[in-house]
Amino acid sequence: MERASGPAKFAVFQLHKSVGITILLLMLLRIAWKLRRRPLPLKADGWERALATAVHLAFYLLLLAMPLSGWLVVSASRVAVPTLLYGTVPLPHVPVVISLAAETREGWYRGSASVHSYLSYGLYVLIGLHVAGALKHHFLDRDGSFARMAPGIRPGSLLDPRLLLIGAAASSAAVFGFGWARGRNVHRPVQSVEATPPRPATPVQQARQETYEQAAAAAPDAPVAAEDVPSWTIEDGSSLSFSTSWAGEPIEGGFRRFRGSIEFSPDQLDRSSVAITVDIGTVYTGDSSRDETLKGGEWFAVGTDRNAVFRAERFRSVGRGRYVAEGTLRMKGATAPLSMPFTLQINGNRALVEGSAVVDRLAYRIGEGEYASTAEIPADVTVRIRVEARRR
Ligand code: HEM
Ligand code: HEM
């Protein structure tokens, strides 16, 4: 659960909370049942009886305290993540906790999170003792205690189907758990852009064919450049990537398709202009299910507007082939200023532009609802552009 990332993490936490609350309800039923019926006496004496009683009592306490502390963690968290049990029943936050002042709440959050974490170790110890005790009574004492949980099982029997089934269930749960955790590791977000599948050539070639007029049509009020400022065509090998993180884990991604019109000359900065149109529907982050989520309404909402447009008409030289483009970025219906420092190397008819800028995703509502919180996903996203261009 802790190792998962992206939307998988969200889903697995929801499952955790659903199962945990189910355990809480089952415990309440169990206690009500136990109060009405006198339990059978334990088949043990002396210290063994005391230990068994203590373990059983501790189980009751822990199996109530675990879900309650978990519920407190969720309610006191700064990130108001809604819980839908099994995807259907909404779980409200603990009322008093959500109305506390931010600092007090933070205290409750930390407190309940460490209680929840430490008690789980207690639970492992109890399960170890408990199963060892059950097996001792089954194989050594052969007193039929086991049959009180698995009716019909013969004391001391090794090949009883119920015993095998419990063993098989426990080992498959363990194998599945470890396998899943390892699998998640393998599919961890790629650490470098190179590790993502190569960009298909066609969109870039398409971008190369892009004329200024076409880009201007995509960006209606694009500036009209002076005739004598050289215009550049974006070539293969250009890329637009970004870096962010999810719960501290780096995520590298990018956009496969973008096109643009570049009218630029270092000698005529005042007459230069750039308009880059990015097809945000081509977002990739090295995880296809996450990429699908990113196209949805809470993220890039590509259904409403597929294009993000960066436009700059003001350029400053900051020395030795370094410039800053002052422009605006329009994305998901919002427009905000963006300055992009970049380096430019011109070699004959070829040019290489490399720039990067920090974009505040929240200015564009990229990540709405629970994703608007910056606890797991920072607001600042570093965007890098590398353009290989040819003079027309
Ligand atoms: C018997 C029931 C439960 C058990 C055995 C259990 C067990 C655990 C364990 C072992 C962890 C990892 C702790 C760690 O970070 O070291 C955890 C984390 C967590 N659990 Fe539970 N849990 C239970 C019920 C619940 C419930 C009912 C909720 C919420 C409604 C919940 C919410 C959480 C949350 C939010 C975390 C992450 C805490 C953090 O980030 O520090 N749990 N749980
Ligand atoms: C291989 C796994 C397990 C085996 C073989 C097993 C076996 C047993 C047996 C034979 C009893 C009956 C004791 C009696 O009637 O005198 C019992 C009771 C109990 N078990 Fe388990 N158990 C297992 C797993 C667990 C787990 C994982 C939990 C909790 C997380 C648990 C919680 C309890 C509790 C609370 C009782 C006492 C019930 C009561 O007296 O009200 N057991 N178990």
Side-chain angles (χ1 to χ4, degrees):
M1 181 176 80
E2 301 268 346
R3 279 194 201 177
S5 61
K9 182 161 192 159
F10 179 73
V12 91
F13 262 85
Q14 291 282 326
L15 181 63
H16 177 95
K17 294 186 275 186
S18 307
V19 174
I21 293 294
T22 307
I23 292 177
L24 177 62
L25 296 177
L26 287 173
M27 283 308 288
L28 295 176
L29 278 177
R30 170 72 191 156
I31 289 168
W33 178 262
K34 207 166 164 131
L35 289 177
R36 288 175 59 107
R37 307 232 333 185
R38 261 186 87 79
L40 291 171
L42 289 176
K43 294 188 177 187
D45 299 304
W47 68 270
E48 286 178 278
R49 180 187 206 105
L51 181 61
T53 312
V55 168
H56 289 171
L57 186 68
F59 259 140
Y60 276 89
L61 293 178
L62 252 66
L63 290 176
L64 290 171
M66 281 304 296
L68 289 176
S69 56
W71 194 5
L72 275 178
V73 175
V74 176
S75 309
S77 167
R78 259 183 301 146
V79 199
V81 181
T83 306
L84 260 193
L85 302 177
Y86 301 107
T88 38
V89 188
L91 175 75
H93 292 314
V94 179
V96 186
V97 176
I98 42 167
S99 50
L100 292 172
E103 265 175 39
T104 330
R105 228 170 96 181
E106 182 71 20
W108 275 85
Y109 172 76
R110 285 170 198 276
S112 48
S114 54
V115 165
H116 197 69
S117 174
Y118 284 120
L119 287 189
S120 70
Y121 294 113
L123 205 51
Y124 301 143
V125 173
L126 290 183
I127 292 175
L129 285 169
H130 182 69
V131 173
L135 294 177
K136 181 213 174 237
H137 280 268
H138 183 65
F139 287 117
L140 302 181
D141 303 343
R142 300 178 173 230
D143 60 8
S145 303
F146 212 130
R148 285 164 38 169
M149 292 303 279
I153 198 167
R154 273 186 302 110
S157 68
L158 186 61
L159 294 176
D160 188 280
R162 274 152 297 197
L163 194 61
L164 295 178
L165 205 67
I166 294 174
S171 7
S172 9
V175 168
F176 176 79
F178 285 118
W180 189 84
R182 288 189 67 175
R184 290 304 311 171
N185 255 353
V186 171
H187 293 116
R188 271 186 172 200
V190 282
Q191 303 295 317
S192 71
V193 181
E194 283 72 39
T196 60
R199 231 164 341 101
T202 29
V204 183
Q205 282 158 357
Q206 186 186 329
R208 192 161 47 174
Q209 304 307 322
E210 195 73 32
T211 62
Y212 176 64
E213 285 73 24
Q214 279 168 311
D221 47 324
V224 177
E227 276 159 26
D228 49 353
V229 178
S231 54
W232 303 83
T233 328
I234 298 176
E235 297 264 87
D236 276 3
S238 302
S239 66
L240 180 55
S241 54
F242 61 81
S243 315
T244 175
S245 65
W246 186 303
E249 205 167 348
I251 294 180
E252 298 290 337
F255 301 94
R256 290 203 167 84
R257 198 181 308 158
F258 59 97
R259 53 180 197 253
S261 89
I262 303 175
E263 316 281 320
F264 190 88
S265 162
D267 309 321
Q268 301 178 71
L269 289 183
D270 54 330
R271 299 175 70 187
S272 298
S273 70
V274 163
I276 306 274
T277 304
V278 183
D279 179 349
I280 48 180
T282 62
V283 63
Y284 63 87
T285 60
D287 176 327
S288 55
S289 74
R290 179 166 57 210
D291 297 349
E292 284 315 304
T293 309
L294 285 176
K295 291 173 197 168
E298 285 176 312
W299 293 96
F300 287 112
V302 297
T304 5
D305 186 359
R306 263 190 99 97
N307 291 327
V309 182
F310 173 67
R311 213 173 287 147
E313 285 174 79
R314 283 190 295 127
F315 297 87
R316 283 188 284 126
S317 165
V318 287
R320 293 224 230 132
R322 287 159 56 226
Y323 304 86
V324 178
E326 307 277 6
T328 56
L329 175 63
R330 179 175 65 74
M331 186 160 50
K332 209 180 173 182
T335 305
L338 180 68
S339 36
M340 163 85 71
F342 63 93
T343 58
L344 169 71
Q345 295 165 38
I346 297 182
N347 197 349
N349 278 339
R350 308 222 152 243
L352 174 66
V353 175
E354 286 179 296
S356 80
V358 171
V359 174
D360 175 4
R361 66 180 177 95
L362 297 178
Y364 303 92
R365 290 178 295 106
I366 307 296
E368 292 183 49
E370 67 191 273
Y371 300 117
S373 151
T374 53
E376 296 225 300
I377 313 162
D380 286 348
V381 177
T382 305
V383 177
R384 282 180 305 277
I385 189 162
R386 180 179 192 282
V387 171
E388 288 182 22
R390 192 169 40 86
R391 198 193 304 256
R392 272 207 231 132

